Amino acid sequence: MTTQELLQKAKRAKTSLATASTAVKNAALLAMAGALEADTSPILAANAMDMEAAWGHISEVMLDRLALSEQRLAGMAQGIREVAALPDPVGQVLRRVERPNGLVIEKTAVPMGVIAIIYESRPNVTSDAAVLALKAGSACVLRCGKEAHRSAAAIVAALQKGLASSGLSPDLVQLVEDTSRQSANELMTASGLVDLLIPRGGAGLIRACVENATVNVIETGTGICHVYVDESADLDMALNIVENAKTSRPSVCNAEEVLLVHRSAAAELLPRLRRRLVEDRAAAGKVPVELRLDSTAAAIIPGTPAGPADFDTEFLDYILAVKVVDSVDEAIAHIAAHSTGHSDAILTRDSEAAKRFTALVDSAAVYVNASTRFTDGGEFGLGCEMGISTQKLHARGPMGLEELCTYKYVITGSGQIR
């Protein structure tokens, strides 16, 4: 089936969902979660084929993003159930004004309509995106990367079974069959068929959507995430946070890519950091972190000299760029010059430094004494997420149900004329 045909089916299906009750939508979500679990075997078989085809062509950390397991599928089903338990945003009155002439004006949340998502090699995005769109009252058209297409197709087949068993149209969730660049371009230019386009992937994909789309786009961000260790930081805590932010899952957008260290803390912190991230990990049979050091850091510990692009790169790997700075203001200036506006953190015991950092760092999520890895819809209490928006209009940060709605003004009168 062509991409245009899928879009037409989604557009026809969206009308029935716009008037569906919360109970109907929640019942459909629970049926979808059950169908996902019931189809564990065919989904894992499809994923095994994707993994075999991708082996040797993508990095080890990207293979981890592609891989599914019974545990991950159970987590996806649980994410669906959590979305079902959340309040329904559709129909919520965001603001109510009663005018002197008796008009009642209600700013009311309504569905987008058809939401298209272009994503790469993370099969879990398939279910996350579909159920969030559905709960928010919209049909969903998914276009994944070729590496994950078998997995995504098996997941969508399960979700469509759940929809059909609940009485809703399976056409509400569609997977684009064509994984070429042409299908992405069709979604970007499907004016009148796509109400909102959300790209989830690398910088190249997001830039292509922003530059070429004629439909509405929410820009999700690459994550050049910084952790700044201030001169007053608790260094034991700092080591724990830096290790978590870098190594717990380096292939995701909220992983730390750059470490900034105050000069007065560097002499003690950096040797301990190297021991923790390089020597101890190697001794434990884990992948050591490659430290790419500016000249000041390189004078303290051995490592790879940082190149000119290393502070502007989303590595998505066991690589960490390290720079020594003289002040919190220098750290803020560095982040302003190099951050992608995703997630940045300060580790400090100085409340004034924390206050200055949070006021001046212009990112979607700014942390004080916590890992950047918390920038996530589930961790923020949104259920799963559609992505992390790094733009400033309409949606910013993890996008949950409220961000997937637009609004209209509903005005009720009793014969007023102007």
Side-chain angles (χ1 to χ4, degrees):
M1 189 175 296
T2 68
T3 303
Q4 287 294 315
E5 288 170 336
L6 290 175
L7 288 169
Q8 292 286 357
K9 289 174 71 175
K11 183 175 181 179
R12 288 192 295 270
K14 75 175 184 179
T15 306
S16 62
L17 189 59
T19 56
S21 69
T22 300
V24 167
K25 290 191 290 187
N26 287 344
L29 291 178
L30 295 176
M32 292 162 77
L36 192 69
E37 290 175 328
D39 276 11
T40 293
S41 293
I43 292 170
L44 291 181
N47 184 247
M49 295 173 67
D50 282 337
M51 291 289 289
E52 183 178 1
W55 189 265
H57 299 285
I58 60 177
S59 69
E60 186 175 331
V61 290
M62 289 302 179
L63 283 169
D64 176 65
R65 294 179 79 160
L66 176 59
L68 291 174
S69 63
E70 288 190 13
Q71 183 178 8
R72 287 188 178 179
L73 279 173
M76 290 160 60
Q78 179 59 26
I80 298 174
R81 294 187 176 104
E82 290 173 0
V83 171
L86 292 172
D88 189 344
V90 178
Q92 287 189 8
V93 176
L94 307 175
R95 183 168 179 260
R96 184 181 188 278
V97 177
E98 188 167 346
R99 299 294 297 153
N101 63 4
L103 283 179
V104 176
I105 303 171
E106 293 181 330
K107 181 180 179 181
T108 306
V110 296
M112 286 286 180
V114 174
I115 300 175
I117 302 95
I118 302 176
Y119 59 106
E120 294 176 343
S121 301
R122 294 183 66 181
N124 65 293
V125 173
T126 307
S127 64
D128 288 357
V131 301
L132 284 168
L134 185 77
K135 180 72 179 256
S138 289
C140 177
V141 177
L142 303 156
R143 191 272 189 192
C144 72
K146 63 180 180 181
E147 292 87 0
H149 195 267
R150 296 180 187 89
S151 305
I155 292 167
V156 167
L159 298 179
Q160 289 176 332
K161 289 179 191 175
L163 279 169
S165 72
S166 69
L168 288 179
S169 171
D171 291 344
L172 288 165
V173 178
Q174 303 280 352
L175 179 68
V176 173
E177 297 173 11
D178 177 14
T179 59
S180 72
R181 196 170 291 179
Q182 173 62 26
S183 67
N185 289 334
E186 285 185 74
L187 293 180
M188 294 179 207
T189 56
S191 298
L193 294 173
V194 170
D195 296 290
L196 176 65
L197 174 65
I198 302 174
R200 286 190 61 167
L205 167 64
I206 294 164
R207 185 170 56 251
C209 289
V210 171
E211 292 176 354
N212 299 315
T214 60
V215 300
N216 298 313
V217 176
I218 291 183
E219 181 179 354
T220 63
T222 53
I224 301 179
C225 301
H226 298 74
V227 174
Y228 165 57
V229 181
D230 192 36
E231 59 182 328
S232 68
D234 178 324
L235 297 190
D236 291 332
M237 181 184 73
L239 287 167
N240 290 336
I241 290 174
V242 170
E243 180 179 35
N244 175 263
K246 179 70 262 182
T247 68
S248 62
R249 202 168 180 199
S251 63
V252 294
C253 62
N254 58 23
E256 175 192 9
E257 304 291 17
V258 178
L259 173 65
L260 304 174
V261 184
H262 194 285
R263 185 178 298 273
S264 65
E268 180 180 353
L269 178 74
L270 291 180
R272 293 177 64 186
L273 179 79
R274 187 179 191 281
R275 185 161 56 250
R276 186 95 162 244
L277 297 189
V278 181
E279 298 164 11
D280 290 354
R281 287 182 62 83
K286 299 177 181 178
V287 179
V289 176
E290 179 187 349
L291 300 177
R292 298 192 179 175
L293 310 172
D294 79 338
S295 58
T296 305
I300 300 172
I301 57 171
T304 304
D310 283 331
F311 292 100
D312 295 293
T313 299
E314 185 183 31
F315 298 114
L316 301 175
D317 207 341
Y318 291 99
I319 302 169
L320 181 64
V322 181
K323 179 179 176 63
V324 176
V325 296
D326 287 325
S327 66
V328 65
D329 285 330
E330 186 180 349
I332 292 167
H334 179 94
I335 292 169
H338 300 276
S339 173
T340 52
H342 192 293
S343 302
D344 298 296
I346 181 173
L347 313 183
T348 186
R349 286 181 284 199
D350 182 341
S351 61
E352 287 302 313
K355 183 177 179 181
R356 187 165 183 80
F357 189 91
T358 56
L360 296 178
V361 170
D362 190 16
S363 295
V366 184
Y367 291 84
V368 178
N369 295 329
S371 171
T372 57
R373 288 280 287 111
F374 285 103
T375 307
D376 173 84
E379 295 293 341
F380 279 23
L382 306 176
C384 43
E385 76 189 27
M386 188 65 82
I388 310 293
S389 169
T390 54
Q391 65 174 28
K392 296 185 181 181
L393 296 179
H394 170 59
R396 196 178 194 195
M399 289 183 288
L401 295 172
E402 292 180 6
E403 290 75 24
L404 297 180
C405 289
T406 183
Y407 57 84
K408 66 174 64 167
Y409 288 94
V410 178
I411 304 95
T412 303
S414 55
Q416 290 87 340
I417 61 173
R418 182 176 179 181

